[in-house]
Amino acid sequence: MSTEQLIHSRSTALFVPQLVYFEPDAMLYPKGKRILEWAQSQDLPIHMTTSHNRITNLPGETDLEKYRISKRTLVVGIRKTLKFDTSKPSAEYAIPIATGCMGHCHYCYLQTTLGNKPYVRAYVNTDDILKAAKDYIEERAPEMTRFEAACTSDPVGLEHITGSLKEYIEFMGKEPLGRLRFVTKYHHVDPLLDANHNKHTRFRFSVNSDYVIKNFEPGTSRFHERIEAAGKVARAGYPLGFIIAPIIWYEGWEQGYEELIVKLHNTLPKEALEDLTFELIQHRFTKTAKNIIERRYPKSKLEMDEAKRKYKWGRYGRGKYVYPDEQAAALREFITEHIFDKFPAAKIEYFT
Ligand code: SF4
């Protein structure tokens, strides 16, 4: 077997947590009971906690060990606040489904938003959440309302445990004025293929050049797995999208991103081309994120040299470092031209 075949024969495994915590209210919901049975069937260590905020005694000698174990800890609870955050530019609202992710992408935005509580929280009061979504849809009618389900986690990576995403998809399938979107780096899409989506859900995959995926995205599905999953999703009739993010400037980036677009073009079935979107996001970082990444992934090759970047002022004085205008323009032009060349009917939603 060649190295290439060997890599392709290895499949990224489904997430199985190392520890599971239940908040007591979770047991009042059928989904909470189902997850408990699943955890028991897997022989996982199960604990009760009055609240996820009280989980302080995770095993591990060093901060780094504790961090890695937290990422493999599942907390099952209910979503108390049913006020949804806004989610520009891709949707009107962020719909809660879970918080936290088992992946180890060095630049993951959750590193700063979740601070020292990076465990994976799954919410079991799905009906309450969908009822709140319905109210938001009615409030905006006759306008369409789009909900983003991947603002605080990667919901596909958890679907085999919760089944929530399929419920959200089928709920939106019945809503004339509701649309769902989410993005994933996981290829475990099979349970979603027979959902009654009614084309109301845009299924997006986060993709990147080989160099970026190999160096910065451990713990997620490999490129070929994501692209095969994208083909399945397109054949199941879902509108499809790709987020190329973060776009990184490195030695050889032109070749890397050109290869990415060519591979997408050569692999996708024709069904995928009918309704295809791209979202392009250049790499950026804040000082806080840089400090956290350097602590948690000390060997990372991720370039975060402020001197090579442009400072972009943000709200509340929280600015970020982006590529200087000339580099950003070169990235944007190169990638958009290649997308238009290979996918003339696709829509590029934004470059930011
Ligand atoms: S897959 Fe997404 S949510 Fe999970 S660690 Fe990577 S960037 Fe973060």
Side-chain angles (χ1 to χ4, degrees), residues 209-256:
S209 69
D210 270 349
Y211 170 85
V212 173
I213 293 182
K214 277 186 196 141
N215 283 292
F216 307 122
E217 299 190 349
T220 63
S221 295
R222 303 297 79 195
F223 176 79
H224 74 275
E225 294 177 311
R226 297 183 208 174
I227 190 77
E228 277 157 24
K232 289 186 189 176
V233 159
R235 278 188 290 268
Y238 282 96
L240 186 68
F242 291 105
I243 301 191
I244 307 182
I247 298 171
I248 292 189
W249 184 285
Y250 61 91
E251 182 74 45
W253 65 268
E254 284 113 321
Q255 196 193 346

Side-chain angles (χ1 to χ4, degrees), residues 151-299:
C151 285
T152 55
S153 74
D154 189 310
V156 174
L158 277 179
E159 184 63 6
H160 60 294
I161 301 175
T162 65
S164 299
L165 197 51
K166 189 171 187 181
E167 291 173 71
Y168 284 28
I169 291 170
E170 297 203 325
F171 166 84
M172 285 306 168
K174 292 193 203 121
E175 289 296 324
L177 295 175
R179 294 291 181 273
L180 187 68
R181 316 158 60 78
F182 54 84
V183 59
T184 184
K185 289 193 175 101
Y186 289 92
H187 73 288
H188 305 111
V189 299
D190 289 0
L192 303 170
L193 297 179
D194 66 350
N196 294 318
H197 56 76
N198 203 14
K199 294 197 183 290
H200 287 186
T201 290
R202 185 167 296 277
F203 211 127
R204 291 126 81 223
F205 287 85
S206 169
V207 288
N208 222 310
S209 69
D210 270 349
Y211 170 85
V212 173
I213 293 182
K214 277 186 196 141
N215 283 292
F216 307 122
E217 299 190 349
T220 63
S221 295
R222 303 297 79 195
F223 176 79
H224 74 275
E225 294 177 311
R226 297 183 208 174
I227 190 77
E228 277 157 24
K232 289 186 189 176
V233 159
R235 278 188 290 268
Y238 282 96
L240 186 68
F242 291 105
I243 301 191
I244 307 182
I247 298 171
I248 292 189
W249 184 285
Y250 61 91
E251 182 74 45
W253 65 268
E254 284 113 321
Q255 196 193 346
Y257 286 107
E258 184 175 357
E259 266 171 26
L260 164 67
I261 293 158
V262 169
K263 272 199 239 168
L264 286 178
H265 179 258
N266 294 348
T267 326
L268 284 178
K270 66 174 187 331
E271 292 91 330
L273 310 180
E274 286 158 19
D275 182 359
L276 185 61
T277 58
F278 284 89
E279 292 153 83
L280 311 175
I281 306 173
Q282 60 170 316
H283 180 247
R284 72 270 322 270
F285 63 91
T286 60
K287 268 201 188 309
T288 316
K290 178 177 172 175
N291 287 337
I292 298 175
I293 295 167
E294 284 176 344
R295 254 194 351 259
R296 291 187 175 156
Y297 302 103
K299 295 198 185 125

Side-chain angles (χ1 to χ4, degrees), residues 258 261-262 265-266 273 336-345:
E258 184 175 357
I261 293 158
V262 169
H265 179 258
N266 294 348
L273 310 180
T336 50
E337 272 170 23
H338 280 78
I339 292 174
F340 283 135
D341 180 41
K342 295 286 179 211
F343 300 100

Side-chain angles (χ1 to χ4, degrees), residues 137-156:
I137 293 171
E138 282 168 6
E139 207 174 275
R140 280 177 45 87
E143 294 290 316
M144 187 70 80
T145 305
R146 295 168 303 163
F147 296 90
E148 170 66 62
C151 285
T152 55
S153 74
D154 189 310
V156 174

Side-chain angles (χ1 to χ4, degrees), residues 71 100-105 107-110 152-154 185-186 220:
K71 284 269 207 181
C101 177
M102 64 299 278
H104 276 279
C105 306
Y107 33 61
C108 178
Y109 57 101
L110 297 176
T152 55
S153 74
D154 189 310
K185 289 193 175 101
Y186 289 92
T220 63

